[in-house]
Amino acid sequence: MTDRESELKKRRLLLELLNQLESELRRRNLWQEIPPDADALNSTEPFSIDKLSFVQWLQFIFIVKMGQILQFSEALPESLSLSAMAEEYFKPLAVNSTEIEKIIASIDSVFNDNN
């Protein structure tokens, strides 16, 4: 497989995983229809932890930004690590987050498995 083919495969897989993540967030009633205010979306803290919940960050920052990167064929991040944050965020919540965490782990592996 050429580098170009590998990159296209990675992008297709990432798009599929982002769609799965959105679907699962919606299925678990964690999707928010009204976006947070602009100030919250402009946080400079990791995961916007000072202004957004992790789920809001996934929806309004991560999924949007990754979608733009894919749509405009921008360079993908060299690595990504969301799983630890997801595990910590969901630990105290009364929601079955198993599938969400699996999808996030798969997204991490797209970036971190140098295949």
Side-chain angles (χ1 to χ4, degrees):
M1 185 178 298
T2 67
D3 286 344
R4 176 86 175 125
E5 290 170 332
S6 179
E7 178 75 10
L8 288 173
K9 182 179 177 184
K10 186 178 195 177
R11 287 175 178 275
R12 280 192 298 270
L13 178 56
L14 184 55
L15 182 58
E16 181 182 319
L17 289 167
L18 291 173
N19 288 333
Q20 288 175 16
L21 180 57
E22 178 179 338
S23 293
E24 190 61 21
L25 290 171
R26 287 179 183 277
R27 195 167 80 82
R28 296 288 170 199
N29 295 317
L30 296 171
W31 194 259
Q32 185 177 319
E33 295 303 323
I34 300 170
D37 64 41
D39 179 57
L41 296 174
N42 290 320
S43 171
T44 57
E45 293 295 316
F47 303 107
S48 302
I49 198 74
D50 59 331
K51 309 224 177 189
L52 300 175
S53 71
F54 179 66
V55 170
Q56 288 175 315
W57 179 84
L58 285 172
Q59 179 181 348
F60 295 105
I61 306 289
F62 179 72
I63 293 173
V64 170
K65 179 64 176 164
M66 292 308 302
Q68 290 170 343
I69 287 171
L70 294 171
Q71 179 180 0
F72 298 111
S73 299
E74 296 174 14
L76 293 169
E78 290 187 25
S79 65
L80 195 67
S81 184
L82 303 177
S83 291
M85 183 66 179
E87 289 172 19
E88 286 302 311
Y89 177 78
F90 286 110
K91 207 179 283 184
L93 300 182
V95 63
N96 181 347
S97 62
T98 304
E99 192 60 31
I100 294 169
E101 291 181 53
K102 282 182 188 176
I103 295 165
I104 290 172
S106 295
I107 291 170
D108 281 357
S109 73
V110 166
F111 289 96
N112 303 322
D113 292 348
N114 295 315
N115 296 334

